[in-house]
Amino acid sequence: MNKKKQQSEQTKKKIAEASTALFIQKGYRATSIEDIVKAAGCSAGNIYYHFKNKEGLFLYLIDEWNLEWEETWLAKEPLYPTTIDKLYGMAEHLALDQLNHPLTRAADEFYNNSEKASDVEERIHEIVKGYLIFNQQLLQKGIDNDELKATNVVGLAMILDSLLLGLSQHARNMNREEMLEAYRLAMDVFLHGIAKESS
């Protein structure tokens, strides 16, 4: 990497780190480009050059968070021998990440902000699509291994994502044990349903 590119990457990293601290402290909406400029010690031009705008910067932080989540999950995944074990493991991993990730509150604000540019909406759609593909692949493995019923994997992946997303909203005020219990119950219901077998 040449010197100019190296300096550019360092500036980008500095902006990302400074803005992360601000988003955690003040939230998404209350953090301005001016705040980030001051905290990062760079010009607004640098922010626009690297990230286009505040939304682009926050999407970059979400991408980094997703990568970090995936790396941690891939390291843990071999501990779960079956797809069913993996689903419970993933739910637990999500619950703990949700509980511990400092950007959770700012991310809620960001996603619930109704005024988004079309390219940002498109990027969010891509992120969600990535979650659905992840779920599909996991569920398909379970079908291939004869652990799960052969069914509409695309629909199931969407239901699983909706279940976990909805749960993440309700779990905000839970303690660690309550949250883990709620995520385990969600997996029980997803895998086994709640209707009694007719005799």
Side-chain angles (χ1 to χ4, degrees):
M1 193 184 290
N2 67 35
K3 197 171 180 192
K4 195 172 179 192
K5 194 158 186 192
Q6 200 172 358
Q7 283 175 330
S8 179
E9 279 305 307
Q10 284 171 341
T11 304
K12 188 175 183 176
K13 194 175 177 215
K14 203 162 110 179
I15 295 166
E17 283 170 4
S19 66
T20 298
L22 286 168
F23 287 132
I24 291 164
Q25 184 191 344
K26 298 175 75 169
Y28 176 75
R29 269 189 228 104
T31 300
S32 67
I33 290 289
E34 292 72 34
D35 294 333
I36 298 166
V37 164
K38 214 181 289 179
C42 69
S43 70
N46 272 321
I47 295 170
Y48 295 123
Y49 171 76
H50 288 289
F51 303 104
K52 193 176 171 197
N53 51 29
K54 186 170 97 166
E55 289 175 322
L57 169 54
F58 202 79
L59 282 168
Y60 172 82
L61 298 179
I62 287 173
D63 282 338
E64 292 293 297
W65 178 2
N66 283 337
L67 279 172
E68 183 189 304
W69 187 91
E70 205 173 309
E71 280 172 20
T72 317
W73 168 247
L74 289 174
K76 273 184 181 179
E77 193 184 13
L79 303 172
Y80 306 106
T82 68
T83 300
I84 290 171
D85 292 334
K86 285 183 202 316
L87 283 163
Y88 281 104
M90 180 185 78
E92 186 175 299
H93 186 58
L94 279 165
L96 296 176
D97 184 58
Q98 190 77 32
L99 190 66
N100 298 322
H101 204 285
L103 275 176
T104 297
R105 191 172 61 91
D108 282 347
E109 259 190 275
F110 173 74
Y111 283 123
N112 295 326
N113 183 8
S114 55
E115 296 164 30
K116 290 187 195 80
S118 60
D119 62 324
V120 173
E121 288 286 6
E122 206 174 292
R123 184 67 196 103
I124 290 170
H125 179 71
E126 281 171 34
I127 290 169
V128 171
K129 196 172 161 190
Y131 300 155
L132 294 175
I133 289 168
F134 176 88
N135 290 349
Q136 282 173 35
Q137 289 170 341
L138 187 54
L139 293 167
Q140 188 60 55
K141 243 181 237 173
I143 291 167
D144 296 344
N145 296 341
D146 210 26
E147 290 176 68
L148 304 174
K149 279 186 261 184
T151 186
N152 176 353
V153 181
V154 173
L156 270 187
M158 191 169 50
I159 290 165
L160 178 59
D161 189 62
S162 304
L163 176 70
L164 295 170
L165 179 67
L167 190 56
S168 74
Q169 299 302 308
H170 293 287
R172 291 288 184 265
N173 300 316
M174 294 179 185
N175 65 37
R176 187 178 192 274
E177 278 316 303
E178 289 170 332
M179 193 182 271
L180 286 170
E181 200 177 311
Y183 274 78
R184 278 194 288 266
L185 178 60
M187 276 305 145
D188 287 344
V189 172
F190 179 75
L191 288 163
H192 308 294
I194 57 169
K196 282 186 174 180
E197 292 289 321
S198 54
S199 46

